[in-house]
Amino acid sequence: MGANGIDPFIHTWKPEAGAHLGFGHKGLLQSDDLYQYILETSVYPREPEPLKELREMTAKHPWNLMSTAADEGQFLNMLLKLINAKKTMEIGVFTGYSLLATALALPQDGKILAMDVNREHYELGLPIIEKAGVAHKIDFKEGPALPVLDQLVEDDKNHGTFDFIFVDADKDNYLNYHKRLIELVKVGGLIGYDNTLWNGSVAAPADAPLPEYLIYYRPFLVELNKALAVDPRIEISMLSISDGITLCRRIK
């Protein structure tokens, strides 16, 4: 990420002909029609009105590529309910689609520690979050996440206290995040790393003609995927939802 919270490559990328356009385009499905079928059949009809409003607002943003897709938001919302999450963390917020999906899933006394280097983006979605009546669940901190995480890890009282942690931020720091988050999530809790299939580029040949931003971050995600696969402290499931989500369940 750039110093202002914008990925330096995102705003220069021009999608090729046939690529998904606009919001929600990040699905790995090869058929646009099939992806649209999923959205129109099972996602949009059940999407809460605040999420719809935030999604449509974000679609007009020039960097809407950075937002969580609607099918992924639906998945996260159900997952949090299944595990009865009450205390969560989100690293990388943008306009807050996944944050709002999380806040809607938590009980009234649930809490989310949300971090992003750009408060301006968060405040674009904040009026919708407030209107949804869930802003009280969110503790937003502007700035790099690593210093905040280091401070949390220093206090043993924070160890093993988070039910769920979602990471969708600077890909080159994912492993640095993991080293800290594994201490903060509870045994039996989950960490979700977004974009772990990176538009399919993690499986592409080294010399594949890819957009610059895919090429730049691909090695970091390949490294992360290898590290998570052999980490004895977690069970993992790499899901082909949206741009790939790897769920890590802490087991020790």
Side-chain angles (χ1 to χ4, degrees), residues 101-130:
T102 298
L104 290 171
L106 298 186
Q108 279 299 310
D109 59 346
K111 296 297 179 184
I112 310 166
L113 172 59
M115 291 174 274
D116 198 287
V117 294
N118 192 311
R119 186 178 187 92
E120 182 179 345
H121 289 157
Y122 166 66
E123 290 183 345
L124 289 175
L126 184 56
I128 299 172
I129 294 172
E130 291 174 336

Side-chain angles (χ1 to χ4, degrees), residues 1-18:
M1 293 291 178
N4 62 354
I6 301 297
D7 188 304
F9 300 106
I10 293 296
H11 68 286
T12 63
W13 176 65
K14 303 296 183 184
E16 297 177 1

Side-chain angles (χ1 to χ4, degrees), residues 185-201:
V185 71
K186 71 179 186 182
V187 174
L190 297 174
I191 306 172
Y193 292 101
D194 201 18
N195 306 114
T196 52
L197 295 178
W198 203 226
N199 209 203
S201 68

Side-chain angles (χ1 to χ4, degrees), residues 86-93 99 102 106 110-116 137-142 145 148-149 151-152 158 161-162 164-166 181 184:
K86 187 173 182 179
K87 183 180 180 181
T88 75
M89 182 191 304
E90 181 160 332
I91 302 176
V93 172
L99 182 63
T102 298
L106 298 186
K111 296 297 179 184
I112 310 166
L113 172 59
M115 291 174 274
D116 198 287
K137 302 178 185 180
I138 299 168
D139 176 16
F140 180 84
K141 294 186 181 297
E142 182 180 22
V148 178
L149 296 179
Q151 188 176 21
L152 289 172
N158 297 315
T161 61
F162 287 85
F164 179 75
I165 301 171
F166 184 58
L181 298 179
L184 298 172

Side-chain angles (χ1 to χ4, degrees), residues 1-244:
M1 293 291 178
N4 62 354
I6 301 297
D7 188 304
F9 300 106
I10 293 296
H11 68 286
T12 63
W13 176 65
K14 303 296 183 184
E16 297 177 1
H20 287 293
L21 300 176
F23 192 80
H25 71 286
K26 294 190 292 186
L28 289 165
L29 292 173
Q30 294 301 303
S31 166
D32 285 5
D33 289 340
L34 183 55
Y35 183 59
Q36 196 64 29
Y37 172 83
I38 292 172
L39 293 175
E40 294 180 356
T41 303
S42 66
V43 179
Y44 292 160
R46 291 178 171 267
E47 185 180 36
E49 189 59 33
L51 281 174
K52 178 183 178 182
E53 184 178 355
L54 183 52
R55 171 172 58 82
E56 292 178 345
M57 181 274 290
T58 305
K60 300 172 185 177
H61 194 284
W63 297 295
N64 63 62
L65 175 67
M66 294 168 60
S67 185
T68 300
D71 55 331
E72 184 177 6
Q74 183 185 63
F75 169 75
L76 292 174
N77 182 273
M78 178 180 285
L79 178 65
L80 289 161
K81 293 173 182 174
L82 287 171
I83 66 173
N84 296 313
K86 187 173 182 179
K87 183 180 180 181
T88 75
M89 182 191 304
E90 181 160 332
I91 302 176
V93 172
F94 192 44
T95 60
Y97 190 86
S98 57
L99 182 63
L100 178 55
T102 298
L104 290 171
L106 298 186
Q108 279 299 310
D109 59 346
K111 296 297 179 184
I112 310 166
L113 172 59
M115 291 174 274
D116 198 287
V117 294
N118 192 311
R119 186 178 187 92
E120 182 179 345
H121 289 157
Y122 166 66
E123 290 183 345
L124 289 175
L126 184 56
I128 299 172
I129 294 172
E130 291 174 336
K131 186 167 63 172
V134 294
H136 67 281
K137 302 178 185 180
I138 299 168
D139 176 16
F140 180 84
K141 294 186 181 297
E142 182 180 22
L146 287 176
V148 178
L149 296 179
D150 285 337
Q151 188 176 21
L152 289 172
V153 170
E154 284 177 5
D155 188 344
D156 290 345
K157 293 180 181 179
N158 297 315
H159 289 201
T161 61
F162 287 85
D163 302 307
F164 179 75
I165 301 171
F166 184 58
V167 183
D168 183 12
D170 42 337
K171 317 308 173 190
D172 43 346
N173 266 320
Y174 270 25
L175 268 180
N176 290 325
Y177 292 143
H178 186 69
K179 292 173 184 176
R180 294 155 173 83
L181 298 179
I182 196 66
E183 302 292 333
L184 298 172
V185 71
K186 71 179 186 182
V187 174
L190 297 174
I191 306 172
Y193 292 101
D194 201 18
N195 306 114
T196 52
L197 295 178
W198 203 226
N199 209 203
S201 68
V202 292
D207 59 351
L210 298 169
E212 185 180 358
Y213 81 96
L214 290 180
I215 294 173
Y216 180 83
Y217 288 111
R218 175 172 60 177
F220 297 106
L221 291 161
V222 169
E223 184 182 14
L224 172 79
N225 292 339
K226 289 179 179 179
L228 295 181
V230 297
D231 189 335
R233 300 167 296 181
I234 57 175
E235 297 174 329
I236 69 170
S237 179
M238 183 179 283
L239 306 174
S240 56
I241 296 174
S242 189
D243 194 28

